[in-house]
Structures are given as structure tokens and as C-alpha cells.
Amino acid sequence: MANDKTSERLQKVRSAKALAHRLKRKRYEFMRPETQNSGDQPSGEQSAVLDCGWGRLIFAQTFDDTTRLVSALREEAPDHRDIAIYVSDPHVLLAEAPQEIFLDPSHTFRLDLPTYRSGRRQPRGFCVRRLASEADARAVNRIYSARNMVQVRPDFFWSNRDSRSTTYLVAEDETTGEILGTVTGIDHVRAFGDPEQGSSLWCLAVDPQARHPGIGEALVRRLGEHFKARGAAFMDLSVLHDNSQAIGLYEKLGFRRIPAFSVKRKNSINERLFARPTEAYDALNPYARLIVDEARRRGVHVEITDAEGGFFRLSNGGRSVHCRESLSELTSGVAMSICDDKAVTRRVVERADIIVPEQMTATDDDDALQAFLDKHARVVVKPARGEQGRAVAVGLDSLEDVRKAIAAAREVCDRVLIESCFEGEDLRLVVIDFKLVAAAVRRPPHVIGDGRHSVRDLIETLSRRRAAATGGESTIPIDAETERCLQLSGLKLDDVLEDGREVVVRKAANLHTGGSIHDVTEIVHPRLVEAAIRAARAIDIPVVGIDLMVKNPTQPDYVFIEANERPGLANHDPQPTAERFLDLLFPLSGRRAALNSLGKM
């Protein structure tokens, strides 16, 4: 009798579980949104898939078998990144298609929203709001590109701005109106009727050149508050296992790690996640890596000959070209020699009717120096040969400062040049195959006070952020030139900078000394483009960075500064600098050649 009662109780438990499972499935089906074009799921389907523009989120818990889930992953569109999330048995799924899919090496973190408390600290200098215009969408794509993320058609953002399931937030600079960061949120209940009342965070990205601290934290907090107000039970996110900085932020905000897994397809976008590159590749700097990545995408063979120096050999179709970053065998030794000596460069381009500043060679004759200074009021001192902005001093207005700058420049090169100072902005124009590819304004580093930290602390913090954003290529040296620039503002390194005060800490806008780059390709004045191309032809160099000082990139006034035979092609997002470089070296490779062969160009 006892055994009969036990069997009866077990049967009731099984029946209850089966009923709960059926009700759960029914709830998915009943609460299914109606249209996929609006970012939601069509009705009547059991398997939830959400188009996010950069790819699709495939909610694995709504699929009844692994075969259907793998089939969904196989429907991934070209140049997109689909993600199957909440995979309960990843080992079983991987066994279904081991050559096509892989387990994403990311951790899943969860924020329990009912117990989450909003932060007391308010954003300084920026605000967080919803994406509100097509200009916002373009700015988000610019940040995605800078962070090597898959971009989204701007019209997709715009057409989905009122989606019930997707929320786009941006951080906006209160002074300039520039978009500094972005995050996307998915409401699981509105996306597919999630019985767990969940939500998730995706595509958190901050402009690598943003100077305000706390942008990422503010975006995460605002999204969490948004979903908590909607009654969501939790907000999940996925983060690469070795991204210790991001994990530290999430743990600080109260996220906890949960045992949830994601699976992706083996495609070129995900390659670094499932096929670790060679050790030599890791040693390449960002400028070399950008070109190597583009070559590999095209099927061009890459041989890294000296990683630390940025040397590699590219081969395709019987053609082989040795490169050092953007400097290739196509650039002649004569062209290199012209660019190497700034005085020679100036003479060559001046003969091509390029406007150049007045210049003299530094001397120990104080009378000659003072006469040049009296004539121009402010001058620039720089070594005749050198790169990366080393020992360049800008805006000097006293004989004592000129002497000090000459002494510093002579440590780089025995011959030192003094030029008249043209007030304005530093414009870099990248010319490849005598065509403009990118134009960007380079701005000197500056810090913003918070009333608590010294100028030195603020510079060191900004320098760490710049280094992290550029793979260690951009840092702000604290030296005599930095101290001189601070003295112009009446400051010393250990002074506490008052809240909201903005101070330029170096006059030179070179990226390697902490400068930032801002794309102006779409608005640059045609006369400036013409001058850059004419200078490139005068030097007869196929790849070059032409530096001009301009009043404004939209105006025709300029003065030529120098030509760089090895311009950094990174940091010019969203312009296709690496693509055009590979087009020059291997015209029959890549998408443009394919479209041309099909008669579509």
C-alpha cells in the first residue's frame, strides 16, 4: 500500500512538472510580438530570434532541440555576428556542428534589479539620453568602428527607435553635443514573452577619445534603472573573460556571475575568439595590426618578419610587398629622404605652390633669435629630423622658452628648426594613391578639473585612458613642455584644478603625446584636399600623411607643416584607410575588385 501511495505522489509531481512546462511554452507563444522588421519576433513561432542590426540574438532557451538552434545560427547574414545566448548544454550543441560553431569565451553577469540601488554620483559634463536622431545613429557607428565592433546601418537604428523590445541610450557632451558613448538594452518580456521577466545589456561602448570619466558606468546605471522601472527581474550581460577592467566595473555595480553560456559561428569577425593568433601577431602595434587584419580578411598571405618593429610581408597572386606599418616598398628612398628632413620637405612643397610658414635654422645668436621672435610674436621649435612629436614646442613667445626648446630638440637632432606659429587647428590628411582617404583634426590633450584631484593626477588618469584606447601608442609625458603649458594657465602640476575648469596640458596635438583625433573627412574644404594631393605629387609618394595648420577644416586657409611617410592608419574611423592601402598594394583583392569584376562598380 505504501509503495502504491509513493507511486501515486511521484505521478502527480511528474504531471505537475509537465503541465508547468506546457504552460511555459504556451506563454512564449501567446506573448510573441508581431513583426521582426521592428526588431520584434513574428507571432506563431516558438523559437525567439531578435534582429539587432549587427546580428541576431538567438534565445536558446526557446528552442526545443539543438538541430533547430544550429539551423538558426547557419542563417547568419554576411558581415554580421549572431549570438545564441542562454545555451543550457553547450557541449551537446557543439557536438552538432563542431566545425561551424564555438563556445564564446565570455562570462555572463547578472544584476538583480529588485535589490539594485541607483548611484548617487551624477554625471559631470555629459548627460545620458535616448538615441534621438540619425546623427546620433551615425555617431554610434563611429564609436562602434573605433572599438572594432560590427557597425549597424543608421536607418536600422532610426527605424527601431520606437521598438518595444530595444532601447538605445547615448551619452552626450553637454558642451559640444558630441556623442561619447552608447549602450543597447533588450527587454526580454517584450521581445519574446520571457516568463523570467529578464532583460539584457549589449554593445556598451565609449569613445576612446572621450575625456570625461565615468561614461560607461553612467550608461550601465541608466539602463539598469530603465529596466527596473519596467518591472524586470534582472539585467544580464556578456563580457570577455579577460576583460578585467570591464569585469571590475560590473562587480562594483553589483553584478554577479551566473552559469550561462553563449555560442557563435566561426566567421572572420569572430576569428580571434576561436583561433588564437600567433605570438608575433600580439606583438604588433595597432598601426601594423590594422593592415594585417585587413589583409587576412581578403585572403592575402601575411608573414610577420619583425613584430616589434611593425614589419610584415604581404603576398597575393604572385606579388609580394614588404611593409613597415603603412610604409611599403612602393615608397622610394628619395621620397623617404624628402619627408625625413623637414627643411627639405618644406622646400619641395613650396616649389609646388604650397603655402609654408617662414622658417629659420636655430642658432646660438640671441639677436637673430630675438629678431625672428619679434617678427612673428609666437614660434614653433622642432628637430629637423624626428617623428611622433618628440621635442616639438608650440606657441613660444619668449627668448628663454625658445632657448630651452632648442636645447630639448637638439637631443633628438643636431639641427633644429624655428617656424612662425600659425594659430589654428592641426589637420592630418591621409593621401593614398594621390586620393584623399581620411581627414582628421588632431587636438592637444586637455584635462577637466573636479575640485578634488591635482593636475598631475588628472594628467596621469587621462594618459592611462589614452594608452588603453590606443594599445599603448598614446601617452601624455609629464616633462618641461607640460609644465610650460601649465604655467601659461597659471598652474603647477600639484595644484588642485577647480571643478569644471578645462586646461590644455600640451600645445602639440600629436597622437603619441596624448592628442586626440576627430574625423572631418566629410566636411574638409576642397582647397585643403587639393593642397594635400599636390604636396603628395610633389614628393612623389603613394602613401603619406600631410599635416596642415588650418583656421577651420571647413575653411580654405592653411599653412603646410610636414609630410609623414609612415602615417598611422588607425584612429581614422570610420574611414577605410586600411582597405585603401590594400587596394593600392593588391588591386585585385577585396570586395571592390569583386564588385568591379561583376560590373557593379
Side-chain angles (χ1 to χ4, degrees):
M1 182 67 72
N3 289 337
D4 292 340
K5 290 184 178 179
T6 301
S7 299
E8 184 178 350
R9 284 198 297 271
L10 288 173
Q11 185 61 38
K12 288 181 179 179
V13 169
R14 292 191 186 100
S15 299
K17 288 183 177 180
L19 177 61
H21 180 75
R22 288 195 299 273
L23 288 173
K24 179 178 177 180
R25 288 296 183 192
K26 287 292 184 184
R27 186 175 185 184
Y28 279 127
E29 296 171 7
F30 177 74
M31 300 185 68
R32 185 81 60 225
E34 294 183 0
T35 62
Q36 190 163 352
N37 291 336
S38 65
D40 298 321
Q41 191 66 25
S43 62
E45 288 189 14
Q46 181 177 330
S47 308
V49 179
L50 183 71
D51 187 5
C52 298
W54 42 262
R56 300 173 305 154
L57 288 178
I58 301 172
F59 294 89
Q61 75 271 39
T62 67
F63 283 72
D64 54 10
D65 64 70
T66 56
T67 301
R68 293 187 63 204
L69 185 52
V70 170
S71 295
L73 282 164
R74 285 174 175 154
E75 294 172 359
E76 180 182 70
D79 299 323
H80 283 64
R81 172 187 282 169
D82 289 355
I83 307 175
I85 57 176
Y86 302 117
V87 178
S88 59
D89 297 310
H91 55 295
V92 177
L93 183 62
L94 293 176
E96 187 81 20
Q99 303 302 320
E100 299 178 61
I101 60 177
F102 69 98
L103 183 63
D104 183 33
S106 297
H107 296 321
T108 302
F109 281 81
R110 172 168 293 180
L111 181 66
D112 295 312
L113 293 176
T115 59
Y116 170 68
R117 293 185 178 181
S118 302
R120 296 181 179 179
R121 182 181 176 184
Q122 296 298 313
R124 294 174 177 268
F126 67 93
C127 63
V128 176
R129 59 171 176 79
R130 282 179 176 267
L131 183 144
S133 68
E134 292 189 60
D136 286 349
R138 289 192 295 271
V140 168
N141 262 337
R142 174 183 57 79
I143 295 173
Y144 283 177
S145 178
R147 290 298 187 181
N148 296 315
M149 298 164 64
V150 179
Q151 296 183 52
V152 178
R153 296 191 330 271
D155 64 293
F156 182 92
F157 280 124
W158 189 238
S159 63
N160 283 276
R161 66 191 183 280
D162 296 324
S163 168
R164 298 175 66 249
S165 60
T166 307
T167 300
Y168 301 108
L169 299 181
V170 295
E172 179 185 39
D173 189 298
E174 292 179 341
T175 302
T176 66
E178 185 178 7
I179 300 302
L180 306 174
T182 178
V183 70
T184 300
I186 304 297
D187 187 323
H188 295 182
V189 175
R190 299 188 180 193
F192 63 94
D194 182 13
E196 295 185 82
Q197 306 291 311
S199 65
S200 55
L201 176 155
W202 300 92
C203 299
L204 175 65
V206 176
D207 188 333
Q209 301 186 127
R211 63 186 186 275
H212 298 287
I215 296 172
E217 178 177 341
L219 287 164
V220 175
R221 286 190 179 279
R222 178 65 177 276
L223 191 63
E225 292 161 4
H226 168 76
F227 284 133
K228 181 174 182 177
R230 280 190 174 186
F234 57 82
M235 182 171 72
D236 288 350
L237 59 82
S238 179
V239 57
L240 280 173
H241 70 98
D242 56 356
N243 191 347
S244 56
Q245 185 176 8
I247 290 173
L249 168 64
Y250 299 139
E251 290 178 337
K252 167 189 169 185
L253 297 179
F255 284 82
R256 59 184 175 86
R257 185 177 165 188
I258 63 171
F261 303 96
S262 299
V263 169
K264 298 175 181 176
R265 283 191 70 242
K266 292 182 178 179
N267 58 29
S268 59
I269 297 173
N270 296 325
E271 184 176 0
R272 66 185 182 89
L273 301 178
F274 65 84
R276 182 170 176 81
T278 63
E279 184 176 346
Y281 174 86
D282 291 335
L284 291 172
N285 65 36
Y287 308 106
R289 194 175 300 167
L290 181 77
I291 298 170
V292 167
D293 286 344
E294 175 62 21
R296 285 177 167 169
R297 276 193 289 269
R298 295 176 179 227
V300 174
H301 177 71
V302 178
E303 176 191 357
I304 300 173
T305 53
D306 186 85
E308 292 183 4
F311 290 90
F312 49 88
R313 183 180 297 279
L314 305 178
S315 304
N316 187 57
R319 177 184 176 89
S320 178
V321 183
H322 207 180
C323 305
R324 183 185 186 192
E325 300 166 11
S326 65
L327 177 64
S328 75
E329 295 172 348
L330 276 63
T331 297
S332 71
V334 172
M336 278 190 61
S337 297
I338 293 172
C339 294
D340 182 55
D341 191 317
K342 295 177 176 61
V344 175
T345 313
R346 178 183 177 277
R347 292 196 297 269
V348 169
V349 301
E350 186 178 20
R351 287 194 288 270
D353 295 327
I354 303 296
I355 301 171
V356 296
E358 188 171 343
Q359 186 184 91
M360 69 170 287
T361 301
T363 174
D364 293 330
D365 184 347
D366 285 351
D367 291 337
L369 295 175
Q370 187 63 58
F372 193 85
L373 188 58
D374 290 342
K375 181 178 181 179
H376 299 289
R378 296 164 68 85
V379 299
V380 177
V381 172
K382 59 186 178 183
R385 303 176 69 178
E387 57 183 9
Q388 300 183 350
R390 286 195 294 268
V392 175
V394 179
L396 306 178
D397 58 5
S398 72
L399 182 60
E400 182 182 357
D401 286 340
V402 170
R403 283 180 186 154
K404 290 179 180 178
I406 291 172
R410 280 177 174 158
E411 294 182 5
V412 176
C413 178
D414 292 339
R415 190 156 49 89
V416 175
L417 304 176
I418 306 176
E419 293 180 347
S420 57
C421 186
F422 182 93
E423 296 293 338
E425 293 189 293
D426 187 330
L427 177 69
R428 162 63 63 88
L429 300 109
V430 177
V431 177
I432 298 177
D433 197 18
F434 307 111
K435 301 179 185 69
L436 179 72
V437 175
V441 168
R442 303 189 296 179
R443 297 190 176 122
H446 52 276
V447 296
I448 301 174
D450 59 4
R452 302 191 306 272
H453 294 90
S454 69
V455 176
R456 184 192 303 274
D457 291 339
L458 294 172
I459 292 175
E460 290 175 346
T461 299
L462 178 60
S463 185
R464 285 193 297 270
R465 289 208 303 269
R466 297 293 298 125
T470 60
E473 291 296 310
S474 180
T475 56
I476 306 173
I478 296 180
D479 55 15
E481 174 62 11
T482 305
E483 293 184 88
R484 183 188 72 81
C485 290
L486 291 175
Q487 288 173 2
L488 296 175
S489 301
L491 293 167
K492 295 181 179 179
L493 285 167
D494 294 324
D495 290 343
V496 174
L497 195 59
E498 53 265 38
D499 187 21
R501 183 179 176 186
E502 188 170 328
V503 176
V504 174
V505 298
R506 292 183 75 86
K507 292 292 185 181
N510 192 281
L511 177 72
H512 291 85
T513 54
S516 57
I517 297 179
H518 307 266
D519 181 69
V520 294
T521 307
E522 300 302 321
I523 62 172
V524 66
H525 195 281
R527 190 184 178 204
L528 305 180
V529 177
E530 178 191 351
I533 293 174
R534 198 161 66 246
R537 290 195 179 279
I539 302 168
D540 194 19
I541 186 168
V543 180
V544 65
I546 300 295
D547 294 340
L548 307 177
M549 287 297 295
V550 301
K551 294 291 186 183
N552 187 294
T554 63
Q555 298 176 6
D557 302 313
Y558 76 91
V559 166
F560 175 88
I561 302 301
E562 64 182 40
N564 190 320
E565 76 279 6
R566 183 164 49 98
L569 300 185
N571 307 304
H572 282 283
D573 307 300
Q575 305 308 325
T577 51
E579 290 93 325
R580 298 297 85 83
F581 181 72
L582 265 293
D583 288 343
L584 172 70
L585 269 54
F586 303 100
L588 299 181
S589 69
R591 179 176 296 181
R592 294 182 74 197
L595 293 175
N596 187 53
S597 66
L598 294 171
K600 296 183 179 181
M601 285 190 64

